[in-house]
Amino acid sequence: MPTPSMEDYLERIYKLIDQKGYARVSDIAEGLEVHPSSVTKMIQKLDKDEYLIYEKYRGLVLTSKGKKMGKRLVDRHQLLEDFLGIIGVNPDYIYKDVEGIEHHLSWDSITQIETLVEYFRRDPERVAELQRLQNELISDS
């Protein structure tokens, strides 16, 4: 199982490849706000753990294991953003909050949150009811 740091790299690499068709060390470093030397070290570790294939000066390619994990991580991130949006978290805080919690939830918790998000998506009136309750509780405080 990848560490939280490995997950951040895999998520970023997956997104870059999905958006641009490739992921360069400089793009990864910029996106994660780390030094290129740190990216190279992590890429070598991800290569060793068979999440990607890295050839110096030639680039990197995600393995099927890396693609599967990258997609899972991107989906988890989006799910948590959706969840926080549904429950009324200020949009200015959502991205940072997701970054703070995504590595600390079990996959079981993620599955349960996914069920809850689907519950709200199936009937928009449920979201409206939740918002009414939130407003009621806020006005009572």
Side-chain angles (χ1 to χ4, degrees), residues 11-29:
E11 183 179 357
R12 183 72 190 143
I13 292 167
Y14 182 88
K15 286 168 83 174
L16 282 167
I17 291 173
D18 187 50
Q19 294 165 355
K20 297 173 125 186
Y22 60 89
R24 296 182 315 200
V25 168
S26 59
D27 295 328
I28 299 164

Side-chain angles (χ1 to χ4, degrees), residues 2-13 32 34 38 42 45-46 73 76 103:
T3 65
S5 181
M6 291 168 76
E7 287 183 348
D8 286 339
Y9 279 84
L10 282 168
E11 183 179 357
R12 183 72 190 143
I13 292 167
L32 295 175
V34 297
S38 299
M42 181 58 79
K45 177 154 182 45
L46 292 168
L73 296 169
R76 174 184 71 184
H103 301 297

Side-chain angles (χ1 to χ4, degrees), residues 1-2 6 38 46 54 64 67 130 136 139:
M1 200 62 166
M6 291 168 76
S38 299
L46 292 168
Y54 174 64
S64 60
K67 286 178 189 174
L130 176 64
E136 184 181 309
S139 66

Side-chain angles (χ1 to χ4, degrees), residues 25-100:
V25 168
S26 59
D27 295 328
I28 299 164
E30 181 182 324
L32 295 175
E33 299 177 350
V34 297
H35 292 284
S37 59
S38 299
V39 174
T40 301
K41 287 177 189 172
M42 181 58 79
I43 286 174
Q44 291 168 343
K45 177 154 182 45
L46 292 168
D47 183 24
K48 180 177 156 282
D49 290 350
E50 301 178 346
Y51 288 103
L52 56 81
I53 298 168
Y54 174 64
E55 293 182 28
K56 197 171 183 178
Y57 306 116
R58 296 203 57 177
L60 60 93
V61 177
L62 287 171
T63 62
S64 60
K65 176 182 174 180
K67 286 178 189 174
K68 182 178 177 184
M69 181 56 74
K71 179 168 180 13
R72 189 176 188 197
L73 296 169
V74 167
D75 290 348
R76 174 184 71 184
H77 188 102
Q78 186 60 55
L79 172 70
L80 292 172
E81 283 192 8
D82 293 348
F83 172 67
L84 294 180
I86 286 170
I87 64 171
V89 173
N90 182 325
D92 294 340
Y93 303 135
I94 289 178
Y95 182 83
K96 188 174 181 182
D97 286 352
V98 170
E99 287 297 311

Side-chain angles (χ1 to χ4, degrees), residues 79 83 106-118:
L79 172 70
F83 172 67
S106 68
W107 287 104
D108 182 56
S109 293
I110 296 297
T111 300
Q112 300 310 318
I113 290 170
E114 185 174 33
T115 302
L116 185 60
V117 167
E118 184 59 26

